Amino acid sequence: GELEPWAVHVYNGSLFIIDGREPCCVLQWPLGAPAGRVIVGPGSTLNGVNDFSDIIDIAIDAAGDLYVLDGQHGRIVKIHEGVGEVVGDGRLVLDGTRALYLGGDGAIYFIDEGGSRVQRYANNVTIPIAGGSEPGSGPSQLEDAEDIFVTRDGTLYVP
């Protein structure tokens, strides 16, 4: 069937595409190439963790490592040199996670609680940095947030 892209990221001359067809996968498609190849999910040559059924988002760090937000299993998987490993080794708990962002400092930022909270994970510690467990429109609340961006100086934007 036809590709059903949920998200597209550009890195180092390639498109990284989340294909929303079941079972979900991530393709790497070099710019100008007639086709891409599956790098995460069924049909890939990935070693380690490779059982995904609901890929929500992806991010790529400065070293080219791919991070996959797996909604069905409530985890983030880091793909490094063809091997998938769960981030946090049981210390990172995700609930209703919607978006993933990698900060320049190596921290992982994510929206959880169904869009009402942004958290930062670094050095095996998770800290809420915006919103909370209850959605709302107040000055310290978020409601139905879908994406995040963090500048180099650490300023958080939730569009």
PDB file of all heavy atoms in Angstrom, residues 3 13 24 34 41 45 53-54 58 62 67-68 72 82-83 88 94 98 100 106-108 120 124 128 149 155:
ATOM      1  N   LEU A   3       2.436   4.786   1.300  1.00  0.00           N
ATOM      2  CA  LEU A   3       3.029   5.305   2.531  1.00  0.00           C
ATOM      3  C   LEU A   3       2.030   6.226   3.232  1.00  0.00           C
ATOM      4  O   LEU A   3       1.349   7.018   2.583  1.00  0.00           O
ATOM      5  CB  LEU A   3       4.297   6.080   2.162  1.00  0.00           C
ATOM      6  CG  LEU A   3       5.171   6.603   3.263  1.00  0.00           C
ATOM      7  CD1 LEU A   3       5.819   5.449   4.010  1.00  0.00           C
ATOM      8  CD2 LEU A   3       6.264   7.486   2.670  1.00  0.00           C
ATOM      9  N   GLY A  13      20.924  14.801   4.928  1.00  0.00           N
ATOM     10  CA  GLY A  13      20.614  14.411   3.554  1.00  0.00           C
ATOM     11  C   GLY A  13      19.570  13.319   3.401  1.00  0.00           C
ATOM     12  O   GLY A  13      19.414  12.768   2.312  1.00  0.00           O
ATOM     13  N   CYS A  24       3.596  -0.258  12.395  1.00  0.00           N
ATOM     14  CA  CYS A  24       4.350   0.980  12.233  1.00  0.00           C
ATOM     15  C   CYS A  24       5.819   0.695  11.979  1.00  0.00           C
ATOM     16  O   CYS A  24       6.366  -0.302  12.441  1.00  0.00           O
ATOM     17  CB  CYS A  24       4.254   1.844  13.488  1.00  0.00           C
ATOM     18  SG  CYS A  24       2.695   2.685  13.660  1.00  0.00           S
ATOM     19  N   PRO A  34      14.955   7.108  -5.321  1.00  0.00           N
ATOM     20  CA  PRO A  34      13.624   6.652  -5.724  1.00  0.00           C
ATOM     21  C   PRO A  34      12.861   5.923  -4.627  1.00  0.00           C
ATOM     22  O   PRO A  34      11.644   5.788  -4.709  1.00  0.00           O
ATOM     23  CB  PRO A  34      13.913   5.704  -6.899  1.00  0.00           C
ATOM     24  CG  PRO A  34      15.326   5.263  -6.708  1.00  0.00           C
ATOM     25  CD  PRO A  34      16.032   6.389  -6.001  1.00  0.00           C
ATOM     26  N   GLY A  41      11.424  -1.331  12.950  1.00  0.00           N
ATOM     27  CA  GLY A  41      10.183  -2.064  12.798  1.00  0.00           C
ATOM     28  C   GLY A  41      10.340  -3.259  11.867  1.00  0.00           C
ATOM     29  O   GLY A  41      11.446  -3.573  11.427  1.00  0.00           O
ATOM     30  N   THR A  45      16.798  -4.322   9.754  1.00  0.00           N
ATOM     31  CA  THR A  45      17.882  -5.184  10.249  1.00  0.00           C
ATOM     32  C   THR A  45      18.304  -4.770  11.656  1.00  0.00           C
ATOM     33  O   THR A  45      19.381  -5.133  12.111  1.00  0.00           O
ATOM     34  CB  THR A  45      19.093  -5.121   9.303  1.00  0.00           C
ATOM     35  OG1 THR A  45      19.536  -3.756   9.210  1.00  0.00           O
ATOM     36  CG2 THR A  45      18.739  -5.641   7.922  1.00  0.00           C
ATOM     37  N   SER A  53       4.575  -0.965  17.918  1.00  0.00           N
ATOM     38  CA  SER A  53       3.253  -1.054  17.312  1.00  0.00           C
ATOM     39  C   SER A  53       2.558   0.306  17.238  1.00  0.00           C
ATOM     40  O   SER A  53       1.534   0.420  16.595  1.00  0.00           O
ATOM     41  CB  SER A  53       2.385  -2.059  18.070  1.00  0.00           C
ATOM     42  OG  SER A  53       2.284  -1.695  19.418  1.00  0.00           O
ATOM     43  N   ASP A  54       3.114   1.317  17.884  1.00  0.00           N
ATOM     44  CA  ASP A  54       2.503   2.645  17.859  1.00  0.00           C
ATOM     45  C   ASP A  54       3.603   3.698  17.983  1.00  0.00           C
ATOM     46  O   ASP A  54       3.813   4.261  19.054  1.00  0.00           O
ATOM     47  CB  ASP A  54       1.493   2.778  18.999  1.00  0.00           C
ATOM     48  CG  ASP A  54       0.694   4.061  18.929  1.00  0.00           C
ATOM     49  OD1 ASP A  54       0.668   4.695  17.852  1.00  0.00           O
ATOM     50  OD2 ASP A  54       0.103   4.439  19.952  1.00  0.00           O
ATOM     51  N   ILE A  58       9.650  10.701  16.551  1.00  0.00           N
ATOM     52  CA  ILE A  58      11.071  10.377  16.500  1.00  0.00           C
ATOM     53  C   ILE A  58      11.863  11.660  16.667  1.00  0.00           C
ATOM     54  O   ILE A  58      11.348  12.761  16.450  1.00  0.00           O
ATOM     55  CB  ILE A  58      11.478   9.673  15.189  1.00  0.00           C
ATOM     56  CG1 ILE A  58      11.150  10.535  13.968  1.00  0.00           C
ATOM     57  CG2 ILE A  58      10.852   8.297  15.096  1.00  0.00           C
ATOM     58  CD1 ILE A  58      11.636   9.977  12.644  1.00  0.00           C
ATOM     59  N   ALA A  62      22.649  14.987  17.718  1.00  0.00           N
ATOM     60  CA  ALA A  62      23.770  15.514  16.927  1.00  0.00           C
ATOM     61  C   ALA A  62      24.685  14.409  16.416  1.00  0.00           C
ATOM     62  O   ALA A  62      25.346  14.566  15.376  1.00  0.00           O
ATOM     63  CB  ALA A  62      24.561  16.518  17.749  1.00  0.00           C
ATOM     64  N   TYR A  67      15.947   8.400  18.149  1.00  0.00           N
ATOM     65  CA  TYR A  67      15.137   8.111  19.334  1.00  0.00           C
ATOM     66  C   TYR A  67      13.704   7.909  18.856  1.00  0.00           C
ATOM     67  O   TYR A  67      13.172   8.731  18.114  1.00  0.00           O
ATOM     68  CB  TYR A  67      15.194   9.261  20.336  1.00  0.00           C
ATOM     69  CG  TYR A  67      16.550   9.416  20.987  1.00  0.00           C
ATOM     70  CD1 TYR A  67      17.626   9.931  20.279  1.00  0.00           C
ATOM     71  CD2 TYR A  67      16.749   9.026  22.310  1.00  0.00           C
ATOM     72  CE1 TYR A  67      18.877  10.057  20.879  1.00  0.00           C
ATOM     73  CE2 TYR A  67      17.990   9.155  22.913  1.00  0.00           C
ATOM     74  CZ  TYR A  67      19.050   9.675  22.187  1.00  0.00           C
ATOM     75  OH  TYR A  67      20.279   9.797  22.776  1.00  0.00           O
ATOM     76  N   VAL A  68      13.091   6.820  19.300  1.00  0.00           N
ATOM     77  CA  VAL A  68      11.748   6.452  18.856  1.00  0.00           C
ATOM     78  C   VAL A  68      10.817   6.441  20.068  1.00  0.00           C
ATOM     79  O   VAL A  68      11.065   5.732  21.045  1.00  0.00           O
ATOM     80  CB  VAL A  68      11.755   5.061  18.187  1.00  0.00           C
ATOM     81  CG1 VAL A  68      10.352   4.673  17.738  1.00  0.00           C
ATOM     82  CG2 VAL A  68      12.730   5.031  17.010  1.00  0.00           C
ATOM     83  N   GLN A  72       2.663   2.470  22.394  1.00  0.00           N
ATOM     84  CA  GLN A  72       2.037   1.229  22.857  1.00  0.00           C
ATOM     85  C   GLN A  72       2.759   0.649  24.067  1.00  0.00           C
ATOM     86  O   GLN A  72       2.134   0.166  25.001  1.00  0.00           O
ATOM     87  CB  GLN A  72       2.024   0.197  21.722  1.00  0.00           C
ATOM     88  CG  GLN A  72       1.381  -1.116  22.099  1.00  0.00           C
ATOM     89  CD  GLN A  72      -0.116  -0.990  22.314  1.00  0.00           C
ATOM     90  OE1 GLN A  72      -0.767  -0.141  21.718  1.00  0.00           O
ATOM     91  NE2 GLN A  72      -0.664  -1.837  23.165  1.00  0.00           N
ATOM     92  N   GLY A  82      22.701   0.636  14.787  1.00  0.00           N
ATOM     93  CA  GLY A  82      21.912  -0.530  14.439  1.00  0.00           C
ATOM     94  C   GLY A  82      21.385  -1.354  15.598  1.00  0.00           C
ATOM     95  O   GLY A  82      20.872  -2.453  15.400  1.00  0.00           O
ATOM     96  N   VAL A  83      21.494  -0.826  16.823  1.00  0.00           N
ATOM     97  CA  VAL A  83      21.008  -1.554  17.997  1.00  0.00           C
ATOM     98  C   VAL A  83      20.021  -0.669  18.750  1.00  0.00           C
ATOM     99  O   VAL A  83      20.309   0.487  19.055  1.00  0.00           O
ATOM    100  CB  VAL A  83      22.180  -1.951  18.933  1.00  0.00           C
ATOM    101  CG1 VAL A  83      21.657  -2.646  20.182  1.00  0.00           C
ATOM    102  CG2 VAL A  83      23.177  -2.845  18.200  1.00  0.00           C
ATOM    103  N   GLY A  88      16.489   4.856  29.811  1.00  0.00           N
ATOM    104  CA  GLY A  88      16.058   4.979  31.205  1.00  0.00           C
ATOM    105  C   GLY A  88      16.091   3.719  32.023  1.00  0.00           C
ATOM    106  O   GLY A  88      15.938   3.786  33.234  1.00  0.00           O
ATOM    107  N   LEU A  94       6.495   6.673  31.074  1.00  0.00           N
ATOM    108  CA  LEU A  94       5.731   7.515  30.157  1.00  0.00           C
ATOM    109  C   LEU A  94       4.253   7.203  30.283  1.00  0.00           C
ATOM    110  O   LEU A  94       3.865   6.042  30.422  1.00  0.00           O
ATOM    111  CB  LEU A  94       6.185   7.272  28.718  1.00  0.00           C
ATOM    112  CG  LEU A  94       7.674   7.464  28.438  1.00  0.00           C
ATOM    113  CD1 LEU A  94       7.978   7.137  26.986  1.00  0.00           C
ATOM    114  CD2 LEU A  94       8.121   8.870  28.767  1.00  0.00           C
ATOM    115  N   ARG A  98       3.020  12.257  23.884  1.00  0.00           N
ATOM    116  CA  ARG A  98       2.636  12.712  22.556  1.00  0.00           C
ATOM    117  C   ARG A  98       3.779  13.218  21.694  1.00  0.00           C
ATOM    118  O   ARG A  98       3.676  13.175  20.482  1.00  0.00           O
ATOM    119  CB  ARG A  98       1.633  13.854  22.676  1.00  0.00           C
ATOM    120  CG  ARG A  98       0.350  13.452  23.289  1.00  0.00           C
ATOM    121  CD  ARG A  98      -0.586  14.603  23.289  1.00  0.00           C
ATOM    122  NE  ARG A  98      -1.917  14.162  23.675  1.00  0.00           N
ATOM    123  CZ  ARG A  98      -2.975  14.891  23.541  1.00  0.00           C
ATOM    124  NH1 ARG A  98      -2.888  16.091  23.040  1.00  0.00           N
ATOM    125  NH2 ARG A  98      -4.139  14.433  23.918  1.00  0.00           N
ATOM    126  N   LEU A 100       8.256  14.261  21.364  1.00  0.00           N
ATOM    127  CA  LEU A 100       9.614  14.019  21.821  1.00  0.00           C
ATOM    128  C   LEU A 100      10.516  15.087  21.235  1.00  0.00           C
ATOM    129  O   LEU A 100      10.369  15.469  20.073  1.00  0.00           O
ATOM    130  CB  LEU A 100      10.025  12.632  21.313  1.00  0.00           C
ATOM    131  CG  LEU A 100      11.393  12.091  21.567  1.00  0.00           C
ATOM    132  CD1 LEU A 100      11.594  11.871  23.062  1.00  0.00           C
ATOM    133  CD2 LEU A 100      11.564  10.771  20.832  1.00  0.00           C
ATOM    134  N   GLY A 106      21.636  17.246  25.536  1.00  0.00           N
ATOM    135  CA  GLY A 106      21.471  15.800  25.641  1.00  0.00           C
ATOM    136  C   GLY A 106      20.231  15.375  26.401  1.00  0.00           C
ATOM    137  O   GLY A 106      19.924  14.184  26.477  1.00  0.00           O
ATOM    138  N   ALA A 107      19.494  16.328  26.974  1.00  0.00           N
ATOM    139  CA  ALA A 107      18.269  15.996  27.703  1.00  0.00           C
ATOM    140  C   ALA A 107      17.169  15.609  26.714  1.00  0.00           C
ATOM    141  O   ALA A 107      17.142  16.069  25.570  1.00  0.00           O
ATOM    142  CB  ALA A 107      17.810  17.174  28.549  1.00  0.00           C
ATOM    143  N   ILE A 108      16.255  14.767  27.186  1.00  0.00           N
ATOM    144  CA  ILE A 108      15.092  14.366  26.412  1.00  0.00           C
ATOM    145  C   ILE A 108      13.879  15.089  27.002  1.00  0.00           C
ATOM    146  O   ILE A 108      13.627  15.005  28.202  1.00  0.00           O
ATOM    147  CB  ILE A 108      14.879  12.843  26.485  1.00  0.00           C
ATOM    148  CG1 ILE A 108      16.088  12.116  25.900  1.00  0.00           C
ATOM    149  CG2 ILE A 108      13.591  12.446  25.774  1.00  0.00           C
ATOM    150  CD1 ILE A 108      16.053  10.617  26.116  1.00  0.00           C
ATOM    151  N   ARG A 120      11.363  16.811  31.487  1.00  0.00           N
ATOM    152  CA  ARG A 120      12.749  16.760  31.014  1.00  0.00           C
ATOM    153  C   ARG A 120      13.419  15.570  31.679  1.00  0.00           C
ATOM    154  O   ARG A 120      13.349  15.412  32.899  1.00  0.00           O
ATOM    155  CB  ARG A 120      13.481  18.048  31.409  1.00  0.00           C
ATOM    156  CG  ARG A 120      14.925  18.110  30.984  1.00  0.00           C
ATOM    157  CD  ARG A 120      15.550  19.443  31.483  1.00  0.00           C
ATOM    158  NE  ARG A 120      16.888  19.600  30.991  1.00  0.00           N
ATOM    159  CZ  ARG A 120      17.973  19.117  31.608  1.00  0.00           C
ATOM    160  NH1 ARG A 120      17.864  18.453  32.736  1.00  0.00           N
ATOM    161  NH2 ARG A 120      19.167  19.308  31.087  1.00  0.00           N
ATOM    162  N   ASN A 124      19.269  10.191  34.275  1.00  0.00           N
ATOM    163  CA  ASN A 124      18.364   9.249  34.941  1.00  0.00           C
ATOM    164  C   ASN A 124      17.357   9.908  35.883  1.00  0.00           C
ATOM    165  O   ASN A 124      16.830   9.263  36.787  1.00  0.00           O
ATOM    166  CB  ASN A 124      19.147   8.161  35.685  1.00  0.00           C
ATOM    167  CG  ASN A 124      19.926   7.288  34.736  1.00  0.00           C
ATOM    168  OD1 ASN A 124      19.416   6.912  33.689  1.00  0.00           O
ATOM    169  ND2 ASN A 124      21.153   6.974  35.085  1.00  0.00           N
ATOM    170  N   PRO A 128       9.287  17.517  35.917  1.00  0.00           N
ATOM    171  CA  PRO A 128       8.264  18.293  35.200  1.00  0.00           C
ATOM    172  C   PRO A 128       8.747  19.737  35.043  1.00  0.00           C
ATOM    173  O   PRO A 128       9.246  20.326  36.003  1.00  0.00           O
ATOM    174  CB  PRO A 128       7.041  18.229  36.110  1.00  0.00           C
ATOM    175  CG  PRO A 128       7.363  17.269  37.201  1.00  0.00           C
ATOM    176  CD  PRO A 128       8.835  17.074  37.219  1.00  0.00           C
ATOM    177  N   PHE A 149       9.365  22.535  21.452  1.00  0.00           N
ATOM    178  CA  PHE A 149      10.650  22.947  20.893  1.00  0.00           C
ATOM    179  C   PHE A 149      11.434  23.608  22.015  1.00  0.00           C
ATOM    180  O   PHE A 149      10.878  24.370  22.797  1.00  0.00           O
ATOM    181  CB  PHE A 149      10.451  23.940  19.739  1.00  0.00           C
ATOM    182  CG  PHE A 149      11.739  24.400  19.138  1.00  0.00           C
ATOM    183  CD1 PHE A 149      12.442  23.589  18.269  1.00  0.00           C
ATOM    184  CD2 PHE A 149      12.268  25.641  19.466  1.00  0.00           C
ATOM    185  CE1 PHE A 149      13.646  24.012  17.720  1.00  0.00           C
ATOM    186  CE2 PHE A 149      13.470  26.061  18.934  1.00  0.00           C
ATOM    187  CZ  PHE A 149      14.155  25.247  18.055  1.00  0.00           C
ATOM    188  N   THR A 155      15.091  27.605  26.497  1.00  0.00           N
ATOM    189  CA  THR A 155      13.733  28.143  26.488  1.00  0.00           C
ATOM    190  C   THR A 155      12.799  27.137  25.832  1.00  0.00           C
ATOM    191  O   THR A 155      13.067  26.643  24.747  1.00  0.00           O
ATOM    192  CB  THR A 155      13.685  29.480  25.720  1.00  0.00           C
ATOM    193  OG1 THR A 155      14.599  30.387  26.305  1.00  0.00           O
ATOM    194  CG2 THR A 155      12.270  30.070  25.737  1.00  0.00           C
TER     195      THR A 155
END
